[in-house]
Amino acid sequence: MADPRTTVVARSSPPAAGLRRGGAPSRPGRRRWSGWLYILPAAAVYLAFAIWPTIAAARLSFFEWNGILPPRWVGLDNYREIFDTPALYGAVGHSLVLVVFFSVIPVAFGLFLTAMLSGRVRRGMAFFRVVFFLPQVLPLVAVGITWRWLYSDDGVVNEALTAVGLGGITRAWLGDYGVALFALGLIGTWVMSGLCMMLFLSGVQKIDPSLYEAAVLDGAGAVRQFFAVTLPGLRGEVSIAAVITTIAALASFDLVYVTTNGGPANQTTVPGLLVYRLAFTQGDIGGASALAVVLAVTVIGLVTVIRWLTKERS
Amino acid sequence: MLTTRRSAALFAAGAAALALTSCGSDATDTPGGTAPTEVSTEITSDPVTLTLAYTDDPPTQALVDGFTALHPNVTIETQQTPFSDYVKSVQLAMSSESPPDIAQYNPGAMRSLVPAGLILDLSAWSDAYGWDASFPASSLEVLTSDDEAKQYGEGGLYAVPGALSVLGVYYNKDLVTAAGVDGAPATLDEFEDDLAAVAASGVDPLTVPSLEVGGVHLWGALLNRLGDVQDYKDWVYGVDGSTIQTPAAEEATDIMVDWIAKGYIPESSNAVGYADAIGEFTAGEAAYHVTGNWAAAAIEAELGDNVGFFPMPRPTADAPMVASGASVAYSISAKSEHPDVAAAFLDYLGSAEAAPVQFESGFMPVNVDATVEATGLKADIATAFSQVVAVDGIVPFPDFAAPAMLDQLVSGIQGLISKQSTTDQYLEGLQNVWSSYHG
């Protein structure tokens, strides 16, 4: 009974604790410690499963190790090898193309849908939201396998194209040397668009309606309203959506692994797939760790750029 | 009494572990292999419990049951891991303090376990039991390597096969008959004529799952029939100075390129997975399909008597019979407390008693002298297999050559099928991977 009451008091008058010089000095100290206690479970899990593996991988990237024999220190050799591998540059190029499909198009599409759907209460909104968000709920492996069927030589995509008289362009989309990467990217667009739309729709609700009223009074049409009110109001959401989807594109692995496994002829390899191959088929844990570190640094770099570009400047 | 025995056993295990640790830590100059010299073919009649880690079933469980029926005092506890996780899990299990006594062999995992001295060299048991006579030589060769597990074909014996498999061509009898083809071809030229006849009848001649290893199987089958067997084996085993850039490999690749140009292997193959291809073949959408005997049960269940099997035809009717094949093989842990009992299990795998067990589970028997009863598709496969094994013509799959070779082979074949790379570029790519591992 006593504890909650003290907490309430402390919360309602935070400066008091600092100003009350005569008070027992041990109390704030104890409170500080109890704060640490509260975050301990989460911090322990985070340290054990996020921070420690990161440090371990960074450390392993300086060793030659096959998983069994004692690791051997090789300095920067793993990194040198990685940058000497032409396959890596192809994979990085592919993942940048995927950024367009996983991030740029879904954000644009999500904004478009938001502009269409927001501000007007429509019947069936909940239905649209569920339909668009559904891909986020499905495991990517299931998504990949389903799309492999849709894209196959006699799959639904080709049947639909034939039905509308486009039989001439049908092909096994994921097996086509020229278009496999784009076909793969469109799966990502399908998965990510719903997420972006959900983020933007919830963000739009917190924009002050009086801003729209003012814009209408000033004679702004729907397009003008979107660029003058909606888009600036969604700056934070756009930033978050861009970060999440860019990370998904750069670190993609599962979708590629189950649909094309990097094929045809290495047209859809991504860095994540190369990390997997190095570690699990070639037994080169050191090289895989080095590539993973490079990938992580690239992701952090790009995310920083996105955050900087979308930052509010006064 | 009990406690003393247990502590003695613990002490022995601890000493062995210490010895192994010291062996592993200066791997640079100490040979990795662990080769016992005093072995026995007599096993204890006391109750013994062994553990066995594996991924392939069939045949593992049936073989374990067959062995324990003959030796009721032996209990074998099995631990199965799905194939996708097997390499990692068996590496961790075999390098742990109390590893399984027996583990299913996997080349990827053994490449690090053998150099670490965690797998027994079975040479002494091989001599004692006479495994050279009971197992086909070609099936042991691929399980033999130096103690760094880098060059194969000679050195220590690290596993023996418990079941064999062989690659060949399945054909849909109705479809080929409708195209005017009478049964299995005797030569490669005849096979090419048959493919042309089938294509002319409006049926897809081949279904090739080149999204996965299907294209590699077809290429390997062609190469094996055209090239010098020893050259090929040397390359796969990693013998110094070997190359795949040979006239025979060029000829095999050119045949495949020709089939691609003629439309026998369409570009859409690159999106066809293994299971998809079996589905297409059993649905009667293609006349021929190249794969191993492991697919026989699934194919026969759908096509019944309407399917036959033949080994990839030779260039001439009197050339030697060669086919790619693999085995489900088993190794013994260097930390096993009952290696003689484990070796008795391995010996059982090559016995006549095990042959029907192996054949019933869909594999080829290891003991080639044992006769097996079969009809239909299984009889076709058994005939093909006995022809190949009679001349010791089973060769390993090409991806065995280096850890990164499988990915290079699959993407290389996809490049040929997409008409993006030439025969020379394909073979050069393979040789580059070989050289960077063995060079």
Side-chain angles (χ1 to χ4, degrees):
Chain A
M1 270 316 280
D3 268 342
R5 207 186 301 148
T6 16
T7 326
V8 170
V9 171
R11 210 192 287 152
S12 60
S13 54
L19 292 170
R20 199 172 49 190
R21 285 188 192 161
S26 69
R27 298 214 85 199
R30 203 198 290 160
R31 212 172 290 137
R32 210 176 297 138
W33 278 110
S34 66
W36 281 103
L37 216 61
Y38 283 120
I39 66 158
L40 187 66
V45 169
Y46 188 64
L47 278 173
F49 294 105
I51 301 294
W52 173 244
T54 311
I55 296 170
R59 191 178 148 269
L60 278 175
S61 70
F62 299 108
F63 288 87
E64 182 188 307
W65 191 42
N66 65 11
I68 302 286
L69 288 174
R72 192 168 64 86
W73 173 265
V74 292
L76 290 172
D77 277 6
N78 287 328
Y79 290 92
R80 249 174 245 130
E81 243 168 71
I82 282 172
F83 288 108
D84 280 347
T85 313
L88 176 78
Y89 298 101
V92 169
H94 300 152
S95 66
L96 291 176
V97 172
L98 290 186
V99 168
V100 174
F101 284 94
F102 277 57
S103 187
V104 177
I105 300 178
V107 166
F109 188 61
L111 284 170
F112 174 75
L113 285 175
T114 306
M116 293 286 108
L117 293 173
S118 68
R120 286 147 261 182
V121 182
R122 293 253 167 83
R123 270 200 290 167
M125 264 299 274
F127 172 77
F128 281 116
R129 276 201 293 238
V130 169
V131 166
F132 281 106
F133 196 66
L134 204 59
Q136 277 294 317
V137 185
L138 300 171
L140 273 182
V141 171
V143 168
I145 290 171
T146 311
W147 276 91
R148 236 182 74 190
W149 291 335
L150 296 178
Y151 271 143
S152 72
D153 210 12
D154 45 9
V156 176
V157 171
N158 284 333
E159 278 178 19
L161 287 172
T162 310
V164 298
L166 286 172
I169 63 161
T170 58
R171 64 197 70 203
W173 296 92
L174 291 171
D176 188 284
Y177 189 84
V179 301
L181 184 61
F182 304 121
L184 184 67
L186 280 175
I187 305 177
T189 307
W190 180 78
V191 172
M192 293 301 172
S193 292
L195 173 77
C196 294
M197 187 197 71
M198 285 292 278
L199 276 170
F200 301 156
L201 274 180
S202 63
V204 121
Q205 285 163 14
K206 69 174 175 34
I207 298 177
D208 190 346
S210 63
L211 291 174
Y212 286 103
E213 285 161 23
V216 173
L217 285 177
D218 286 345
V223 175
R224 192 67 201 267
Q225 279 179 49
F226 175 78
F227 283 105
V229 182
T230 312
L231 197 53
L234 287 177
R235 186 188 283 275
E237 282 77 10
V238 170
S239 169
I240 293 293
V243 166
I244 293 176
T245 53
T246 303
I247 293 174
L250 292 176
S252 59
F253 165 73
D254 32 16
L255 198 57
V256 180
Y257 185 69
V258 298
T259 51
T260 64
N261 195 13
N266 293 328
Q267 282 297 287
T268 59
T269 48
V270 288
L273 191 70
L274 299 185
V275 171
Y276 173 85
R277 285 180 180 175
L278 277 175
F280 295 103
T281 65
Q282 301 177 30
D284 180 4
I285 312 278
S289 301
L291 182 48
V293 168
V294 171
L295 179 59
V297 168
T298 315
V299 169
I300 292 169
L302 258 175
V303 163
T304 310
V305 169
I306 292 171
R307 296 293 285 173
W308 182 78
L309 283 176
T310 54
K311 206 168 70 177
E312 194 128 20
R313 291 183 195 79
S314 45
Chain B
M1 181 62 195
L2 248 177
T3 29
T4 355
R5 203 191 288 162
R6 184 180 291 173
S7 57
L10 272 176
F11 177 75
L18 267 180
L20 284 171
T21 328
S22 58
C23 175
S25 55
D26 51 0
T28 40
D29 50 7
T30 318
T34 313
T37 46
E38 287 176 30
V39 303
S40 169
T41 57
E42 297 290 316
I43 69 165
T44 174
S45 52
D46 294 338
V48 179
T49 300
L50 300 180
T51 47
L52 182 151
Y54 72 106
T55 180
D56 284 329
D57 194 49
T60 305
Q61 195 60 50
L63 291 169
V64 166
D65 294 344
F67 176 73
T68 49
L70 292 175
H71 300 277
N73 63 312
V74 180
T75 309
I76 299 184
E77 290 173 359
T78 56
Q79 306 162 347
Q80 188 178 18
T81 310
F83 180 73
S84 50
D85 299 326
Y86 185 68
V87 175
K88 197 73 225 155
S89 94
V90 79
Q91 280 185 342
L92 289 172
M94 295 303 276
S95 54
S96 72
E97 285 303 308
S98 51
D101 299 280
I102 304 170
Q104 186 184 331
Y105 181 87
N106 172 287
M110 296 302 163
R111 276 196 169 103
S112 43
L113 288 171
V114 168
L118 295 167
I119 302 296
L120 285 184
D121 177 353
L122 305 169
S123 302
W125 284 288
S126 179
D127 293 342
Y129 279 112
W131 284 345
D132 282 350
S134 50
F135 292 89
S138 54
S139 73
L140 293 182
E141 202 175 75
V142 69
L143 303 167
T144 305
S145 75
D146 59 6
D147 50 31
E148 286 172 16
K150 199 144 188 188
Q151 186 177 324
Y152 286 75
E154 51 191 31
L157 176 68
Y158 291 100
V160 297
L164 301 178
S165 56
V166 64
L167 197 71
V169 187
Y170 290 83
Y171 66 105
N172 183 315
K173 288 180 180 169
D174 283 351
L175 291 179
V176 301
T177 310
V181 174
D182 55 342
T187 65
L188 198 52
D189 284 342
E190 201 182 322
F191 185 40
E192 295 206 68
D193 292 343
D194 293 352
L195 289 171
V198 168
S201 75
V203 172
D204 284 348
L206 285 161
T207 172
V208 181
S210 60
L211 174 65
E212 293 167 53
V213 291
V216 180
H217 281 160
L218 176 58
W219 176 76
L222 288 169
L223 172 61
N224 292 334
R225 305 321 305 272
L226 292 165
D228 180 75
V229 175
Q230 198 54 46
D231 281 357
Y232 173 75
K233 280 190 187 176
D234 283 351
W235 185 73
V236 173
Y237 291 153
V239 175
D240 268 354
S242 308
T243 177
I244 196 69
Q245 291 169 289
T246 60
E250 281 169 22
E251 192 186 347
T253 314
D254 283 341
I255 289 179
M256 213 167 146
V257 168
D258 180 47
W259 291 0
I260 293 160
K262 285 178 175 158
Y264 301 169
I265 307 170
E267 191 176 355
S268 61
S269 303
N270 284 341
V272 176
Y274 207 79
D276 309 328
I278 300 268
E280 285 177 11
F281 179 70
T282 54
E285 291 170 23
Y288 296 95
H289 179 58
V290 176
T291 186
N293 59 284
W294 54 81
I299 291 177
E300 196 174 26
E302 295 292 326
L303 291 175
D305 293 340
N306 186 25
V307 60
F309 180 94
F310 56 89
M312 181 59 84
R314 297 166 274 191
T316 56
D318 55 354
M321 296 288 276
V322 185
S324 298
S327 62
V328 178
Y330 302 90
S331 300
I332 302 179
S333 164
K335 296 181 189 173
S336 172
E337 288 177 31
H338 307 286
D340 282 329
V341 181
F345 173 69
L346 302 194
D347 181 59
Y348 161 79
L349 302 174
S351 68
E353 288 98 328
V357 177
Q358 290 151 350
F359 194 64
E360 265 166 44
S361 56
F363 287 85
M364 296 295 115
V366 174
N367 186 314
V368 292
D369 300 327
T371 47
V372 286
E373 299 281 314
T375 52
L377 180 61
K378 276 191 168 180
D380 277 6
I381 298 175
T383 308
F385 178 72
S386 62
Q387 287 170 345
V388 176
V389 93
V391 293
D392 233 346
I394 298 282
V395 296
F397 288 104
D399 59 276
F400 203 88
M405 193 59 79
L406 181 62
D407 289 322
Q408 184 66 36
L409 280 161
V410 171
S411 67
I413 295 283
Q414 288 172 344
L416 293 175
I417 293 178
S418 307
K419 297 174 187 154
Q420 295 294 326
S421 52
T422 63
T423 296
D424 289 344
Q425 288 167 335
Y426 168 68
L427 295 177
E428 192 188 344
L430 298 184
Q431 189 59 26
N432 285 343
V433 169
W434 191 95
S435 302
S436 69
Y437 182 70
H438 292 288

